Amino acid sequence: MTDDAADRLLSDAPAPEIEVRESEVIAHGAVWDVRRDRFAFGETELVRDYVDHTGVAAVLGIDDEDRVLLLRQYRHPIGARDWEIVAGLMDVDGESALAGAQRELAEEADLAADRWDLLADVCSSPGGSTEAVRIFLARDLRPVAHDYVREGEEAEIEVRWVPLDDAVAAVLAGRLQNSTTMIAVLSAAASRAAGWSTLRPADAPWERRAAVRGERSRTRT
């Protein structure tokens, strides 16, 4: 690729030149915090508040019949039981995204997978949260035993296998509105149409998450 072609490549660009002059937690939470930063921006100083998030590992499981694994779970902030892919907070010290995804697949769906690929990386709300989501594609699925006990909202999880094309139709019709699920389903459909050639190695560096602000994400790997 020539330098000119690289310059035209559509890609987000890190901004290491932005100097954070002051950072403080203004609200501590059990799962995430709210942080306030003061930073230099050109000739001015700006103040921004944002959710300091741990990050998320997510899994789109797909079987040999092109059916995807979806879970229905109650989500209190939106007051609804929505359909989601397997996903969980990266709140275990030293745990990689892949290991977190494998753990969540077992805990939420009683499954393990022998084939893992990276499907998509997502910044869910870059204007207000450091939440970075890594979505894996899991194939060659099999049952697995574990000692995790599902509690709270997880205790009533409903599992359904849905043809990928039906999931795509539900997204486009507005019946599925969970953003991580939408991105996973549409990305999988696009990747399948390209013969899965867009998939990346499951252990690819997660540079975006490493660069986000705050402490909740910074203390995780």
Side-chain angles (χ1 to χ4, degrees):
M1 181 181 295
T2 66
D3 290 341
D4 287 344
D7 289 341
R8 293 194 299 270
L9 186 66
L10 188 63
S11 178
D12 299 340
E17 75 281 2
I18 302 298
E19 175 194 356
V20 178
R21 294 174 173 171
E22 183 180 355
S23 184
E24 61 175 327
V25 175
I26 59 175
H28 288 277
V31 179
W32 43 70
D33 303 327
V34 177
R35 180 171 290 275
R36 174 170 294 162
D37 282 1
R38 299 178 184 275
F39 58 95
F41 195 77
E43 299 300 318
T44 65
E45 182 178 85
L46 300 178
V47 178
R48 296 290 183 266
D49 300 340
Y50 57 91
V51 174
D52 191 353
H53 199 285
T54 63
V56 170
V59 186
L60 181 67
I62 187 166
D63 68 9
D64 294 337
E65 301 176 39
D66 268 0
R67 298 180 306 170
V68 296
L69 175 69
L70 296 181
L71 312 176
R72 188 165 71 168
Q73 184 174 349
Y74 175 67
R75 292 301 189 184
H76 188 70
I78 63 172
R81 289 179 173 87
D82 70 349
W83 286 102
E84 309 178 352
I85 63 172
V86 169
L89 296 173
M90 292 186 59
D91 54 2
V92 177
D93 284 328
E95 185 178 65
S96 69
L98 178 57
Q102 293 167 335
R103 173 176 54 80
E104 291 292 339
L105 184 61
E107 292 176 353
E108 293 190 348
D110 305 322
L111 292 172
D114 293 327
R115 185 173 181 181
W116 290 85
D117 295 284
L118 176 55
L119 181 62
D121 285 328
V122 181
C123 291
S124 59
S125 182
S129 174
T130 65
E131 183 181 28
V133 184
R134 173 152 277 196
I135 305 173
F136 296 92
L137 184 73
R139 291 177 284 181
D140 297 342
L141 298 159
R142 53 184 168 81
V144 66
H146 58 84
D147 57 5
Y148 181 76
V149 178
R150 291 191 280 268
E151 299 177 334
E153 296 92 335
E154 288 185 343
E156 65 163 36
I157 281 179
E158 177 185 345
V159 178
R160 184 178 296 180
W161 287 95
V162 180
L164 177 56
D165 291 337
D166 290 356
V168 169
V171 168
L172 297 179
R175 300 194 305 273
L176 299 185
Q177 297 186 13
N178 179 285
S179 60
T180 299
T181 301
M182 294 171 67
I183 292 168
V185 165
L186 297 178
S187 294
S191 187
R192 183 185 60 179
W196 301 112
S197 62
T198 65
L199 297 175
R200 290 173 281 153
D203 59 353
W206 197 357
E207 297 172 351
R208 179 57 54 83
R209 183 168 183 266
V212 298
R213 307 291 183 183
E215 296 297 328
R216 288 276 192 173
S217 200
R218 190 173 299 154
T219 56
R220 314 295 181 190
T221 59

